[in-house]
Amino acid sequence: MNILLVDDHAIVRQGYTSLLAMTFTQAHIREATSGEEAISAAQQQVPDLVVLDIGLPGISGIETARRLLLRWPSLRILFFSMHDELPLVRQALAAGALGYITKGAAPDVLLEAVRRCLGGQRYIEQDLATQLACAGTDGTLDPRLKCMTQREFEIFVMLAKGTPPRRIASQLCISSKTVSNNLTVLKQKLNVSSLTELVHLAIDTGVIRVQVA
């Protein structure tokens, strides 16, 4: 059994590699820090399962999944991400992933997801599965948002959630200037003049949810 864990944070990789190794004792677990590394690792030895983050330096996790599945259509992919926004979840599943769980999930949820996906079964974290069912299954993205690239969409989501640009830069392994440049491009593409309007658009299109007390 061969599992490829793709995440750009060393501590995250180390922790979850240890967890998987203790549970799946016969598994050979490899690590990659980017989508490009994941594709290279798969070329050397096709894994039984890829556990993949969305926010990666270079090409995004969703683009990585598309490229992997284009080359190996039967490859099993489980997304394991900090993002719980339904549009991103839908994009990940539409790319061909078997499963999606968030990094806020308990360790036993990750292990169950890995078991299911290794067996070729779909697994979506319960709360996300419920939200997807309640929101409808057409999986379409609001037309106003289709002008963005995958990386721009990630930055759009993080900005809309109030993530400071410096933190976005750190999490995506890009410069603060790149984040600023992306914000300028996003304003032009989305026809908004301020960050406040960008947030309103994210709420209006269902990208982020407003918590009502």
Side-chain angles (χ1 to χ4, degrees):
M1 183 191 303
N2 189 304
I3 299 174
L4 179 60
L5 178 63
V6 189
D7 195 292
D8 61 313
H9 292 91
I11 294 177
V12 173
R13 291 197 313 274
Q14 182 180 16
Y16 288 108
T17 294
S18 298
L19 176 64
L20 293 172
M22 285 189 297
T23 304
F24 303 96
T25 56
Q26 302 301 314
H28 175 48
I29 302 169
R30 295 180 294 158
E31 300 178 8
T33 63
S34 68
E36 291 86 350
E37 281 189 18
I39 293 169
S40 177
Q43 288 174 335
Q44 295 172 21
Q45 182 180 8
V46 181
D48 297 296
L49 176 68
V50 179
V51 181
L52 181 62
D53 193 7
I54 284 183
L56 297 171
I59 61 174
S60 72
I62 292 177
E63 179 59 26
T64 300
R66 291 192 183 108
R67 295 187 187 186
L68 286 169
L69 289 167
L70 184 64
R71 180 75 179 273
W72 300 281
S74 62
L75 189 62
R76 295 159 183 167
I77 295 177
L78 167 66
F79 274 99
F80 185 43
S81 172
M82 67 176 182
H83 292 291
D84 63 356
E85 295 80 18
L86 295 190
L88 273 176
V89 176
R90 285 177 171 140
Q91 286 188 46
L93 297 174
L98 271 180
Y100 195 109
I101 61 174
T102 65
K103 289 183 178 179
D108 61 326
V109 172
L110 170 62
L111 296 176
E112 180 62 19
V114 168
R115 288 191 189 94
R116 294 278 192 91
C117 291
L118 278 169
Q121 301 176 354
R122 184 177 292 276
Y123 188 95
I124 302 173
E125 189 176 330
Q126 183 174 354
D127 182 56
L128 292 178
T130 300
Q131 291 181 51
L132 285 170
C134 292
T137 58
D138 61 357
T140 58
L141 189 65
D142 190 290
R144 289 171 288 179
L145 307 182
K146 291 183 178 181
C147 58
M148 290 181 282
T149 66
Q150 185 59 48
R151 177 46 52 89
E152 288 169 350
F153 189 77
E154 289 179 59
I155 294 174
F156 169 70
V157 170
M158 297 174 83
L159 286 168
K161 292 175 69 176
T163 308
R166 286 186 180 181
R167 187 177 299 173
I168 294 175
S170 175
Q171 290 180 349
L172 298 182
C173 296
I174 57 180
S175 68
S176 295
K177 180 175 176 56
T178 299
V179 176
S180 178
N181 290 341
N182 271 274
L183 176 56
T184 299
V185 171
L186 285 171
K187 286 179 180 178
Q188 294 172 345
K189 284 189 172 184
L190 299 173
N191 194 29
V192 297
S193 59
S194 66
L195 185 56
T196 299
E197 288 187 11
L198 184 146
V199 172
H200 287 166
L201 177 62
I203 295 171
D204 189 44
T205 55
V207 170
I208 62 173
R209 299 180 298 277
V210 178
Q211 300 294 331
V212 180

